[in-house]
Amino acid sequence: MKKVLGIETSCDETAVAIVTEDKKILANLVLSQQEHLAFGGVVPEIAARAHLNHIDTLVREALQESGLRFQELDAIAVTAGPGLIGGVLVGVMTAKAIAAVHNLPLIAVNHLEGHALTVRLTEDVPFPYLLLLASGGHCQLLVVEGVGKYKRLGTTLDDAAGEAFDKTAKLLGLSYPGGPAVEKIAKECTDSAAALAKYPLPTPMVGKAGCDFSFSGLKTAVKRIVDRLPADIERRDAADICCSFQHSVAQMVNDRTERALKKYLSLYPGQKSPTLVVAGGVAANQMLRQGLEKISARHYVRFAAPPLNLCTDNAAMIAWAGMERLLLGMTDAVDFPVYPRWPLDADAVREH
Ligand code: KG4
Ligand code: ZN
């Protein structure tokens, strides 16, 4: 039974995990850096230093928790991009050192591929499936045709979905990361129809051809509302704005995803088990999940989403993507580079 250790350091989570070929997570340690709280966003230099301070301890703890020694591992997988390059370098140099000392194969994992394949660690989902990948840095609709094989149907033209949540939270003085904070306070809104009428927000791209997203107009609209209100916004108003914001995001995501779903079903007809998968931190949002579940049901498509702790950044997803690659013999040379930008599908297919 093969075992892979995965390392993730591309943003503000220092994470180490060990997974097995038969889909057992032997260890899954995530340290969310608290150093950035005062800044309302991730500071790259601080992130890289914090990764450096914690990564060795986390590797040791992951081995302890799984009762394994380095020699019992079959490969080391590490995020090689895209992301904040200082942090990526810390993870990659750690992985290379372990691999060199213990003579283990190395696998350079695209962080996005980690998100894309996570669902296959927790459920049996066959290729090809439609993936909505919505995180702090990305918002894409892709067909996952196989390991390393992606067809992009749509992407954001400006901000990522998570970025919109984070910026809205910042404007309202809520904590970082913004997604969970916005979702929590939106639940306090008791009359969503009234909130939408009081604070109407735009839904860019809805009804337009293709499957691309755009979130920057939404952010500007929130800013305009906030600018009109007193500096210390009342909690009830913040709840109403967040409720309206979530509705707009959901409407956009639902519209774009349903279009992509139709395209996917027409591109791959006669599949036994067509599936819509959501991944990335924003996929933790309950309202978005519910909307996507409904769309899937409407088109007789299976809906699959990893558990919440595997939607946000973690190393189990990197270890698992490494496992999928290892099983296909896709290992990397010890001198592989790091990639600040690394799209899953270089020649993106777009519909206009
Ligand atoms: O995938 P992820 O952990 O890191 C990146 O690769 O970017 O995604 C982080 C993003 C952040 O923007 C965060 O605000 C958002 O995911 N997020 C959420 C929720 N939980 C995290 N957005 C909406 N609702 C949530 N519950
Ligand atoms: Zn991520």
Side-chain angles (χ1 to χ4, degrees):
M1 188 60 55
K2 292 201 174 5
K3 300 167 208 76
V4 173
L5 181 140
I7 295 177
E8 157 62 38
T9 55
S10 68
C11 193
D12 58 339
E13 263 88 26
T14 316
V16 179
I18 300 174
V19 304
T20 65
E21 189 179 347
D22 63 345
K23 307 189 178 196
K24 286 199 182 70
I25 302 177
L26 300 183
N28 185 18
L29 305 175
V30 183
L31 197 100
S32 293
Q33 300 175 357
Q34 302 299 307
E35 287 86 342
H36 310 282
L37 287 177
F39 302 96
V42 181
V43 185
E45 174 69 19
I46 294 177
R49 285 166 189 250
H51 287 307
L52 202 53
N53 287 340
H54 300 300
I55 190 75
D56 289 348
T57 315
L58 282 186
V59 169
R60 212 172 305 128
E61 282 176 8
L63 287 170
Q64 256 167 22
E65 215 170 89
S66 54
L68 294 172
R69 289 169 302 143
F70 280 121
Q71 297 88 323
E72 292 170 279
L73 298 170
D74 295 275
I76 308 291
V78 60
T79 301
L84 303 174
I85 213 61
V88 174
L89 273 169
V90 171
V92 166
M93 295 317 290
T94 306
K96 286 185 177 181
I98 297 171
V101 171
H102 299 284
N103 200 21
L104 291 167
L106 263 176
I107 299 150
V109 174
N110 183 318
H111 178 88
L112 303 175
E113 177 161 80
H115 280 303
L117 298 178
T118 307
V119 74
R120 288 165 51 86
L121 169 62
T122 52
E123 292 181 50
D124 287 320
V125 178
F127 299 123
Y129 51 88
L130 178 68
L131 172 75
L132 168 68
L133 175 57
S135 70
H138 300 271
C139 192
Q140 307 182 355
L141 282 155
L142 300 152
V143 180
V144 183
E145 293 180 328
V147 177
K149 291 198 191 105
Y150 301 90
K151 189 194 281 289
R152 194 164 83 182
L153 301 181
T155 187
T156 181
L157 304 176
D158 39 60
D159 295 349
E163 226 174 322
F165 273 95
D166 294 338
K167 285 178 179 165
T168 296
K170 201 170 177 178
L171 284 167
L172 293 169
L174 303 174
S175 59
Y176 181 88
V182 168
E183 178 169 32
K184 188 160 167 248
I185 194 168
K187 287 202 179 111
E188 291 175 22
C189 169
T190 46
D191 185 346
S192 55
L196 266 63
K198 191 170 178 192
Y199 298 116
L201 287 168
T203 50
M205 309 302 282
V206 168
K208 292 226 173 92
C211 309
D212 287 337
F213 298 86
S214 167
F215 290 100
S216 71
L218 189 53
K219 170 191 68 191
T220 316
V222 172
K223 183 168 184 332
R224 237 179 263 135
I225 290 174
V226 172
D227 285 346
R228 277 202 329 257
L229 293 170
D232 52 339
I233 299 174
E234 276 195 36
R235 196 168 171 92
R236 229 187 31 217
D237 288 310
D240 285 353
I241 294 169
C242 287
C243 174
S244 176
F245 169 82
Q246 267 197 161
H247 269 85
S248 285
V249 174
Q251 236 182 298
M252 277 192 279
V253 168
N254 290 345
D255 178 84
R256 305 285 87 195
T257 307
E258 189 158 20
R259 276 174 183 276
L261 197 56
K262 287 180 190 160
K263 174 106 190 161
Y264 155 75
L265 290 171
S266 73
L267 282 172
Y268 308 87
Q271 278 186 75
K272 260 205 212 113
S273 175
T275 309
L276 169 65
V277 173
V278 289
V282 182
N285 189 284
Q286 292 303 328
M287 186 178 175
L288 291 182
R289 279 191 186 221
Q290 281 162 13
L292 294 168
E293 255 174 283
K294 270 194 206 145
I295 290 171
S296 307
R298 196 150 64 221
H299 292 272
Y300 306 102
V301 160
R302 177 180 162 198
F303 177 76
L308 298 189
N309 69 321
L310 296 179
C311 277
T312 47
D313 285 352
N314 64 88
M317 69 182 196
I318 303 304
W320 177 251
M323 179 64 80
E324 294 242 26
R325 289 189 160 254
L326 180 69
L327 296 174
L328 295 168
M330 298 160 85
T331 59
D332 292 274
V334 71
D335 61 349
F336 71 78
V338 295
Y339 305 97
R341 285 173 201 282
W342 187 3
L344 275 179
D345 174 9
D347 36 72
V349 178
R350 288 226 210 152
E351 195 183 76
H352 292 283

